[in-house]
Amino acid sequence: KGNEKGRYCLLQIGMGIYLGILSFFDSRDRCVSRWMLWGGGISVVVIKCIAVLKEVNEKGELQETGMGLFLCLLPGIVLWAAGRLTGKIGEADGIVLMVTGVVLPYVQCLETAVLSLFLIGMAALALLVFRFAKRGTRLPYIPFLAAAFWIRYFMGMLSNLAL
């Protein structure tokens, strides 16, 4: 059980670092390299598949179902589809949220997505109120996703310490 928690923790830290790197480029260039997007995404999926297969070998049964994985990907799919339909959201934002869904359980992924939208909304509101931006100003989403990911990660660690 402890070894499984350690692997999960390392996967989350790796995902946080990946989000941090993508955030840097999204903030600076307002775009994310396809190589970084797909390379990191495929790496996360492969590592997660290996972790799931190890769970199957140790327990003799599969813990994650196809429906569970779909629910984890759902926030990213919705964001990606909204980007495709409206053109106002970058497609990479939805793909990165899908990759985050591979790492996190559904509830944690949903918490991270909602918190990231709250953070970007508050930043947009502050920029509008203090007149640093106009109504049509585009903000990069991935830095807010990374911030929400790390906030949720550290809040989870604090709640585990309290127990």
Side-chain angles (χ1 to χ4, degrees):
K1 182 85 174 164
N3 192 19
E4 185 179 312
K5 269 188 156 181
R7 273 185 273 171
Y8 180 70
C9 184
L10 285 176
L11 185 61
Q12 282 197 332
I13 290 171
M15 184 66 200
I17 292 169
Y18 173 66
L19 286 173
I21 293 168
L22 290 178
S23 296
F24 173 75
F25 289 104
D26 195 25
S27 296
R28 187 183 71 176
D29 303 333
R30 299 292 171 122
C31 70
V32 177
S33 163
R34 289 182 196 268
W35 293 104
M36 287 180 17
L37 182 67
W38 291 108
I42 291 170
S43 300
V44 165
V45 169
V46 167
I47 291 168
K48 180 67 174 189
C49 288
I50 291 170
V52 167
L53 288 176
K54 284 191 175 200
E55 286 180 28
V56 170
N57 290 339
E58 291 170 3
K59 297 179 182 175
E61 58 187 33
L62 182 62
Q63 296 297 314
E64 296 192 17
T65 63
M67 187 61 174
L69 181 61
F70 174 75
L71 286 175
C72 292
L73 296 175
L74 192 59
I77 291 170
V78 169
L79 190 63
W80 177 80
R84 293 286 290 184
L85 293 173
T86 65
K88 298 197 182 271
I89 303 168
E91 288 182 41
D93 300 335
I95 293 169
V96 171
L97 189 54
M98 280 188 248
V99 172
T100 305
V102 171
V103 174
L104 298 176
Y106 173 68
V107 172
Q108 292 179 4
C109 182
L110 199 57
E111 288 172 351
T112 303
V114 169
L115 181 57
S116 67
L117 292 173
F118 175 77
L119 292 174
I120 199 169
M122 294 306 293
L125 182 65
L127 290 172
L128 287 171
V129 166
F130 294 113
R131 300 187 190 267
F132 289 119
K134 295 183 177 156
R135 190 168 193 265
T137 302
R138 296 182 77 140
L139 295 175
Y141 173 72
I142 297 174
F144 295 98
L145 179 61
F149 182 88
W150 282 110
I151 289 169
R152 196 213 44 77
Y153 177 78
F154 286 118
M155 293 301 282
M157 284 182 57
L158 288 174
S159 67
N160 286 341
L161 290 175
L163 297 175

